[in-house]
């Protein structure tokens, strides 16, 4: 689904211009890059949609169990988590599984990528909060928690993160890795999104959305957003507005204009009734540019010209490519990209039977050459 809004005298009109029935079960997660929208489902598949061409791009079939979380880092990588306890790093260009990590003994319930792309946090049903080194694809730290957390989220600058357990939100500081305070919502929290480094929007099993200050832990404001529980939220900024989008079990998607003073309730820009029981939400912006690079170490900026930087990159390209392949070697034994088949086969990376046979012949020829 794409949510498009036009503005004329502050009257916004949402228009659904792409609809596709790809999954055989309900959706459980969604993620968006500048070109692709991916959806995860209880049918154990991840479907990819090319929003530029408005087509179904295929399906990833690596996981066993419900897909619980999906996150893009820029346009280069997609990270998925599922009930099988796995976290998978995908190449979002070739759609290959670069790394498959047994992350939790139970289900992976949620994950969040640090703005730098070097770290990720995950929570699962094994009562642990785990920190991941995405550069090396390994566990960096494990923290035992008293209960199963179901949401974890980094702040925009990555200086803090929140861990949600039922109606409690623990605020952690990155430099100390300890809880600086706890926010208590009235009911079980279903979604959180940072509006700034210190202001957190919280939705729960109720009609109300609340804004909390992560430093004082006080509620800045609250407003009635829907007639039923709010299932998911997403915030983004345009040159003119700071917008928060909410989706509810009542079937409505609503867009709200945030005020500079978060103590003042936002104003409704538009709403649309999908006539569906909504479970998750994503916002695709056609003007999004890729400001985030790969999950590999970022190169520190240096006071040299772009031409000189380009020459240096070319000289070091061979060594960098070898290093990347060593760190993120594609794990293609049990994963791949399938076409629009109703029953995708795990391990297939092909769109049709004809293409599968062609690739098999090429693989046989390659293996014969290697033997010679």
């Amino acid at each position: 689904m794409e949510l498009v809004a036009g503005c004329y005298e502050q009257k916004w009109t949402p228009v659904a211009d792409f609809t596709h029935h790809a999954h055989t079960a309900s959706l459980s997660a969604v993620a968006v890059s500048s070109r692709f929208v991916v959806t995860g489902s209880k049918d154990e598949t991840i479907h990819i949609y090319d929003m530029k061409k408005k087509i179904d791009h295929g399906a990833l079939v690596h996981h066993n169990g419900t897909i619980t979380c999906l996150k893009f880092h820029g346009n280069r990588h997609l990270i998925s988590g599922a009930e099988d306890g796995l976290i998978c790093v995908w190449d979002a260009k070739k759609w290959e599984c670069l790394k498959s990590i047994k992350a939790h003994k139970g289900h992976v319930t949620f994950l969040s990528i640090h703005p730098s792309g070097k770290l990720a946090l995950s929570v699962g049903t094994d009562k642990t909060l785990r920190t991941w080194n995405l550069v090396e694809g390994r566990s960096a730290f494990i923290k035992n928690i008293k209960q199963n957390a179901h949401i974890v989220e980094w702040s925009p600058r990555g200086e803090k993160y929140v861990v949600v357990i039922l109606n409690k939100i623990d605020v952690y500081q990155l430099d100390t890795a300890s809880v600086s305070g706890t926010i208590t919502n009235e009911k079980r929290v279903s979604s959180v999104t940072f509006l700034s480094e210190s202001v957190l929007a919280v939705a729960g099993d109720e009609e109300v959305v609340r804004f909390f200050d992560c430093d004082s832990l006080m509620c800045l404001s609250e407003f009635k957003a829907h007639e039923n529980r709010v299932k998911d939220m997403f915030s983004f900024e345009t040159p003119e507005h700071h917008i928060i989008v909410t989706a509810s079990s009542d079937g409505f998607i609503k867009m709200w204009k945030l005020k500079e003073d978060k103590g003042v309730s936002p104003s409704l820009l538009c709403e649309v009734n999908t006539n569906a029981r909504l479970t998750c939400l994503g916002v695709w912006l056609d003007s999004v540019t890729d400001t985030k690079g790969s999950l590999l170490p970022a190169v520190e900026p240096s006071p040299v010209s772009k031409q000189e930087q380009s020459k240096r990159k070319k000289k070091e390209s061979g060594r960098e490519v070898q290093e990347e392949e060593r760190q993120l070697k594609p794990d293609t034994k049990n994963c791949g990209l399938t076409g629009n088949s109703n029953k995708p086969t795990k391990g297939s990376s092909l769109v049709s039977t004809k293409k599968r046979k062609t690739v098999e012949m090429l693989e046989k020829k390659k293996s014969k050459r290697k033997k010679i």
Side-chain angles (χ1 to χ4, degrees):
M1 174 182 177
E2 176 188 10
L3 188 61
V4 179
C7 183
Y8 179 73
E9 296 181 351
Q10 298 300 314
K11 292 182 180 180
W12 291 42
T13 304
V15 179
D17 67 351
F18 175 71
T19 303
H20 188 74
H21 187 84
H23 294 281
T24 58
S26 60
L27 271 64
S28 51
V30 62
V32 180
S33 70
S34 64
R35 177 160 188 166
F36 296 101
V37 171
V38 295
T39 55
S41 169
K42 291 185 177 181
D43 65 9
E44 306 182 357
T45 66
I46 300 169
H47 273 264
I48 308 161
Y49 312 94
D50 187 327
M51 297 307 294
K52 299 287 187 181
K53 298 179 179 179
K54 299 294 189 297
I55 60 171
D56 185 348
H57 194 66
L60 304 173
V61 288
H62 181 62
H63 288 286
N64 290 307
T66 298
I67 310 300
T68 55
C69 41
L70 294 166
K71 298 287 181 179
F72 272 105
H73 178 67
N75 296 323
R76 179 79 178 274
H77 293 94
L78 170 71
I79 301 183
S80 61
E83 288 184 347
D84 55 10
L86 295 179
I87 286 178
C88 295
V89 180
W90 301 88
D91 182 333
K93 301 292 183 182
K94 298 179 180 179
W95 297 109
E96 292 178 333
C97 184
L98 301 174
K99 193 78 175 179
S100 181
I101 307 167
K102 182 61 179 176
H104 290 270
K105 293 179 181 178
H107 302 166
V108 179
T109 52
F110 212 90
L111 62 86
S112 181
I113 305 172
H114 190 269
S116 69
K118 296 179 181 180
L119 295 175
L121 294 171
S122 69
V123 289
T125 56
D126 54 3
K127 298 181 181 179
T128 62
L129 166 65
R130 297 178 184 246
T131 305
W132 301 96
N133 182 329
L134 292 180
V135 177
E136 299 178 3
R138 61 175 178 81
S139 175
F141 185 73
I142 301 174
K143 180 179 177 61
N144 293 314
I145 49 183
K146 294 180 180 179
Q147 292 176 283
N148 290 326
H150 61 282
I151 298 174
V152 61
E153 196 70 62
W154 286 102
S155 64
R157 292 202 300 265
E159 296 174 0
K160 62 172 66 75
Y161 55 92
V162 295
V163 177
V164 181
I165 303 173
L166 299 176
N167 68 324
K168 304 287 186 180
I169 305 168
D170 290 329
V171 182
Y172 287 78
Q173 299 300 322
L174 178 61
D175 54 355
T176 61
S178 60
V179 178
S180 61
T182 300
I183 295 170
T184 302
N185 196 48
E186 288 192 13
K187 293 190 178 182
R188 184 183 185 275
V189 176
S190 57
S191 178
V192 299
T193 185
F194 277 93
L195 304 180
S196 67
E197 190 66 19
S198 60
V199 179
L200 184 71
V202 179
D205 291 345
E206 54 187 330
E207 305 88 355
V208 174
V209 173
R210 297 183 177 88
F211 298 162
F212 287 92
D213 186 298
C214 291
D215 299 322
S216 67
L217 308 177
M218 299 295 292
C219 180
L220 301 175
S221 64
E222 66 175 60
F223 65 98
K224 184 178 178 181
H226 292 271
E227 297 300 322
N228 207 326
R229 67 183 65 180
V230 180
K231 293 295 292 183
D232 206 356
M233 297 183 295
F234 189 93
S235 70
F236 64 95
E237 293 186 57
T238 68
E240 297 84 14
H241 305 296
H242 188 180
I243 308 296
I244 185 170
V245 189
T246 58
S248 169
S249 296
D250 62 11
F252 277 87
I253 298 173
K254 297 185 180 183
M255 300 183 72
W256 308 84
K257 178 184 175 183
L258 294 170
K259 310 296 184 182
E260 288 188 15
D261 180 4
K262 298 305 184 291
V264 179
S265 298
S267 57
L268 182 64
L269 289 171
C270 66
E271 62 181 27
V272 59
N273 187 1
T274 65
N275 296 309
R277 187 177 177 181
L278 302 176
T279 56
C280 49
L281 171 73
V283 175
W284 178 72
L285 300 171
D286 194 13
S287 59
V288 169
T289 56
D290 185 15
T291 57
K292 299 177 182 178
S294 70
L295 299 180
L296 300 174
V299 179
E300 294 295 327
S302 56
V304 295
S305 67
K306 291 183 178 180
Q307 291 181 346
E308 289 176 349
Q309 289 180 357
S310 178
K311 289 179 181 178
R312 290 181 184 179
K313 287 181 180 179
K314 286 180 180 179
K315 289 180 180 179
E316 298 178 357
S317 62
R319 178 169 54 81
E320 289 175 354
V321 168
Q322 289 177 358
E323 182 66 18
E324 179 174 352
E325 289 177 349
R326 184 162 58 250
Q327 291 175 341
L328 293 176
K329 186 178 180 181
D331 180 10
T332 55
K333 291 182 179 179
N334 296 312
C335 54
L337 176 67
T338 69
N340 298 327
S341 171
N342 292 328
K343 295 181 179 180
T345 304
K346 294 188 187 303
S348 172
S349 57
L350 313 170
V351 178
S352 65
T353 304
K354 185 177 180 180
K355 286 187 178 181
R356 185 179 72 248
K357 290 179 179 179
T358 303
V359 172
E360 286 175 353
M361 289 175 64
L362 290 172
E363 288 177 350
K364 287 179 181 179
K365 288 180 180 179
K366 286 181 182 179
S367 62
K368 285 180 180 180
R369 289 176 185 172
K370 288 181 180 178
K371 288 179 181 179
I372 293 170

